[in-house]
Structures are given as C-alpha cells and as structure tokens.
Amino acid sequence: MPRDSSSPSLISALVHHYDELVDHLRRRFGDRGFAHDVMQDVCVQLLEQPPKAAIHTPFAFLRRVSTHLAIDRYRVEAGRRAWVEPMAELPEHDAGSATQEDLVAAHQDLDALVDVIENLPPRCREVFVMHKIHQIPQAEVAQRLNISRQMVEKHLKAGMAACRGKLQSPERT
C-alpha cells in the first residue's frame, strides 16, 4: 500500500504533540480517558487511511482531526446513554415468567421488523443495518458509502419510521 510522504511527519507530530492534543480534548470534553481513547482512534485512522495530500501544518491538522473524532464519539456515546439510562429505570422482569403468548408476540414483532427492514429501499436498508444492527457510527457509515452524514440521517429516519409504523399499525392489535 503506497504511503504519502506526509505520513511520517504526521506520525512524528502526533508523537511530539500527543500530550497537548490529549489536554486539548480533556479541556473540551472533560474526561482524560475519553481524550486518550480519541487519540488512539486518531492513531488508527492515520495508520489505516493516511491523508492523500501533503499536510503543511501537522499540529493544526491533528488538532482538527482529533476534535472531529471526539465530537463524533461524544455524539455516539450520548446516544447510547439516552437509551441505556432509561433502560436502567425499567423494572426487572423475569424472562422465565413470559407466557407462550408473549413469546409468540415477540417472535411476530421480530418477524415483522425483519420484513420491514428487508423491504426498505436498498441504500436505506444498507445504512439502517450498518448503523442500527452493526452499530457502525454514522460518520463511518457515510464514509464507507461515500454519502453525506445528512443522507445517513435521512435514511435512518426513514428506516425508523417504517419500523415504528409497522409496530404501531392497527392490524397488530
């Protein structure tokens, strides 16, 4: 795999400014562990996908990349917290007490959702499965599919609306 000649200077700049970049992220996001995790992501990204063009200001470039990755990661974690925290407030439910009717209904719901997902338009289905099933961050989905983040969000909204519509349809009651 051919490497850009800027990669070695970027890696050296990363090593040289690592603590400064971590401190920048810590000040902005308030968590040193989070900052270290983001910097690890920056390292991986630089090794896996070095920039194609020469970077004339490596420190500024690294600061920008680390900030953008931190924002993406923060959004993903905030989304997860939004789902996980309400789930912690739910009462405990003994799975062994589920009736046969409950199990049949759950399997019917799952089959209905699979059917809805399979019948989504191809790009919408691809985005939905990558993000919701495989838990790939929206930014990465956009990058892999070479589409904008706004298109990723549009496809996700359409997929979620289709799923909600199926689960809330009067024919299910």
Side-chain angles (χ1 to χ4, degrees), residues 78-98:
R80 283 192 183 131
R81 280 191 303 275
W83 282 95
V84 171
E85 289 171 5
M87 297 298 276
E89 296 171 8
L90 292 176
E92 289 293 321
H93 180 72
D94 182 14
S97 67

Side-chain angles (χ1 to χ4, degrees), residues 20 27 46 49 64 72 82 99-100 106 109 112 143-144:
E20 285 177 81
R27 282 190 306 273
L46 287 177
Q49 300 171 339
R64 186 171 145 250
D72 288 345
T99 65
Q100 188 65 28
D109 286 348
Q143 183 180 11
R144 285 186 185 185

Side-chain angles (χ1 to χ4, degrees), residues 56-171:
H56 300 291
T57 53
F59 178 66
F61 175 81
L62 291 168
R63 189 171 167 146
R64 186 171 145 250
V65 167
S66 63
T67 300
H68 285 278
L69 281 174
I71 290 168
D72 288 345
R73 187 180 189 124
Y74 182 82
R75 286 179 180 158
V76 167
E77 289 180 7
R80 283 192 183 131
R81 280 191 303 275
W83 282 95
V84 171
E85 289 171 5
M87 297 298 276
E89 296 171 8
L90 292 176
E92 289 293 321
H93 180 72
D94 182 14
S97 67
T99 65
Q100 188 65 28
E101 293 84 22
D102 292 338
L103 293 174
V104 169
H107 282 288
Q108 288 173 341
D109 286 348
L110 182 60
D111 290 342
L113 288 174
V114 168
D115 186 51
V116 167
I117 293 167
E118 286 176 345
N119 288 304
L120 290 172
R123 182 52 63 111
C124 183
R125 180 179 57 240
E126 189 174 18
V127 168
F128 189 86
V129 169
M130 287 174 78
H131 182 66
K132 293 295 184 182
I133 307 298
H134 298 290
Q135 299 182 341
I136 297 172
Q138 289 183 20
E140 189 175 336
V141 171
Q143 183 180 11
R144 285 186 185 185
L145 298 178
N146 198 26
I147 60 175
S148 69
R149 290 218 20 206
Q150 289 79 16
M151 281 306 298
V152 169
E153 290 173 9
K154 180 181 174 185
H155 288 308
L156 289 172
K157 284 179 184 176
M160 290 300 294
C163 290
R164 259 189 242 101
K166 183 64 175 181
L167 292 177
Q168 295 171 350
S169 68
E171 65 193 40

